[in-house]
């Protein structure tokens, strides 16, 4: 299996690479090509220099150039055995690199992330040159650049890499916990492990999202309890009302309403709302249930979730609704959990 590894600095990519090497995977890093170029230019191997050189190489030779070089190197080394090897390709920072490496036989993009606090502590602990006394605010600015803020398509676009990953790990715990997550990824990829219940219900949520009629975002949701599905829903116009496409288009687009603002200015009912109201319609008790949704809830859905008796929300993609996040940060009745595991697409 060919595993392309992506993730922000300080999230534990090095630990994952080390564990995979111990399992017999050969290692190659796209950063090695950048370091070679830095040596040619007589530049220090600082994080900023390497970022700038990597961006320059992508701009000059195409956004997937580093991955193409790695792909060619692996294919040349394996020869007739190409397609049967075990490699970890580290340092994926642009989606074009990820796409190129996912073309490899049995190619998988593994993404790893962690919270800002955790990343800051790790950077301070490992005390690399220039990062000995790094502050949380300085880390945040570095992460913004890595994520793609202010960068063009040839620059670093870490957030987009995470979005197209095949498997997602949140590395906040012990090395033993990381071992378990990595083992599940490998065994699931080769068919020796069953999907977790979180993976099952999130896949169902993404399946329901395919029914969505929203012209902006396709969202699906599932309510489950005691490992059983209760109800499901997707976003679209209420019963008996024409879909937005049939009614002249998206009102939010016409009014130039930004994403995450004025959720009430919409003809559609959100997936979470439909999932909850389906339970009311059929008399299904959802007290203590878990809501799985492929998107973080808006403020209207948040208020319904809090009052419905739901105890936990597992969400995949982020949604920038400041009021929703403020309210959820103030409450203690619902546990909010970022989904990790096998990734799905609508």
């Amino acid at each position: 299996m060919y595993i392309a590894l992506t993730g922000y600095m300080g999230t534990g990519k090095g630990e994952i690479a080390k564990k995979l090497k111990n399992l017999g995977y050969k290692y190659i890093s796209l950063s090695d090509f950048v370091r070679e170029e830095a040596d040619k230019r007589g530049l220090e191997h600082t994080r900023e220099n390497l970022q700038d050189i990597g961006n320059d190489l992508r701009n000059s030779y195409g956004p997937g150039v580093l991955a193409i070089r790695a792909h060619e190197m692996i294919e040349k080394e394996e020869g007739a055995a190409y397609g049967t090897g075990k490699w970890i390709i580290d340092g994926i920072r642009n989606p074009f690199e990820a796409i190129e490496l996912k073309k490899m036989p049995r190619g998988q993009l593994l993404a790893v992330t962690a919270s800002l606090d955790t990343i800051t502590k790790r950077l301070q602990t490992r005390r690399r040159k220039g990062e000995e006394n790094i502050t949380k605010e300085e880390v945040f600015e570095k992460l913004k650049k890595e994520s793609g803020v202010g960068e063009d398509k040839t620059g670093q676009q870490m957030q987009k890499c995470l979005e197209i990953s095949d498997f997602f790990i949140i590395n906040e715990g012990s090395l033993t916990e990381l071992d378990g997550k990595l083992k599940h990824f490998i065994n699931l990829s080769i068919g020796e492990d069953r999907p977790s219940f979180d993976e099952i219900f999130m896949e169902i949520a993404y399946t329901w999202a395919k029914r969505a009629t929203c012209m902006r975002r396709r969202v699906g949701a599932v309510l489950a309890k005691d490992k059983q599905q209760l109800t499901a829903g997707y976003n679209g116009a209420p019963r008996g009302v024409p879909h937005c496409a049939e009614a002249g288009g998206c009102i939010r687009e016409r009014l130039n309403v930004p994403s995450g603002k004025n959720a009430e200015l919409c003809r559609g009912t959100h997936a979470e709302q439909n999932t909850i109201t389906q339970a009311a319609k059929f008399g299904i008790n959802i007290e203590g249930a878990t809501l799985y949704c492929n998107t973080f809830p808006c403020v209207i859905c948040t208020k319904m979730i809090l009052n419905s008796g739901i105890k936990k929300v597992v969400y995949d993609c982020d949604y920038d609704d400041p009021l929703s996040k403020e309210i959820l940060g103030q409450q203690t009745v619902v546990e909010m959990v970022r989904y990790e595991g096998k990734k799905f697409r609508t």
Side-chain angles (χ1 to χ4, degrees), residues 219-231:
V219 182
V222 173
L223 270 171
K225 187 176 181 179
D226 298 328
K227 301 178 182 180
Q228 296 293 322
Q229 179 181 330
L230 301 178
T231 62

Side-chain angles (χ1 to χ4, degrees), residues 100-284:
E100 178 64 34
L101 292 172
K102 286 174 69 171
K103 294 177 184 176
M104 301 175 74
R106 301 176 298 127
Q108 294 278 304
L109 178 61
L110 173 61
V112 58
T113 191
S115 69
L116 175 60
D117 286 339
T118 298
I119 292 173
T120 301
K121 290 177 183 177
R122 287 174 180 164
L123 295 182
Q124 291 171 341
T125 300
R126 69 189 189 187
R127 302 181 66 83
R128 288 184 180 175
K129 185 177 180 181
E131 296 177 352
E132 299 90 343
N133 300 304
I134 194 166
T135 66
K136 186 174 179 179
E137 291 72 24
E138 289 171 334
V139 172
F140 181 69
E141 289 303 315
K142 289 179 180 291
L143 294 179
K144 280 172 60 179
K145 182 174 182 179
E146 278 197 348
S147 71
V149 175
E151 299 286 313
D152 60 26
K153 70 175 184 179
T154 61
Q156 296 199 34
Q157 299 284 340
M158 194 65 70
Q159 184 57 40
K160 290 183 179 179
C161 291
L162 267 61
E163 290 171 0
I164 63 172
S165 64
D166 298 300
F167 198 91
F168 193 71
I169 287 176
I170 301 174
N171 182 23
E172 291 280 342
S174 66
L175 291 177
T176 301
E177 290 173 327
L178 183 59
D179 277 335
K181 294 176 180 181
L182 187 58
K183 181 180 179 181
H184 176 61
F185 159 66
I186 294 172
N187 288 343
L188 189 66
S189 299
I190 61 178
E192 294 185 1
D193 214 350
R194 294 187 299 169
S196 67
F197 280 102
D198 278 2
E199 288 168 324
I200 288 291
F201 290 127
M202 189 58 74
E203 182 175 13
I204 294 172
Y206 270 97
T207 299
W208 276 105
K210 295 176 182 178
R211 286 282 303 170
T213 60
C214 177
M215 301 174 70
R216 270 193 169 188
R217 183 186 296 262
R218 301 171 77 181
V219 182
V222 173
L223 270 171
K225 187 176 181 179
D226 298 328
K227 301 178 182 180
Q228 296 293 322
Q229 179 181 330
L230 301 178
T231 62
Y234 54 89
N235 56 333
R239 293 177 62 197
V241 178
H243 298 307
C244 296
E246 302 167 340
C250 175
I251 186 173
R252 293 175 65 82
E253 292 289 349
R254 291 202 306 269
L255 297 176
N256 293 317
V257 180
S259 180
K261 305 288 186 182
N262 300 105
E264 75 282 359
L265 295 176
C266 178
R267 291 172 54 86
T269 306
H270 289 188
E272 303 96 314
Q273 298 166 21
N274 278 326
T275 305
I276 293 170
T277 56
Q278 283 293 306
K281 177 181 177 181
F282 293 106
I284 298 172

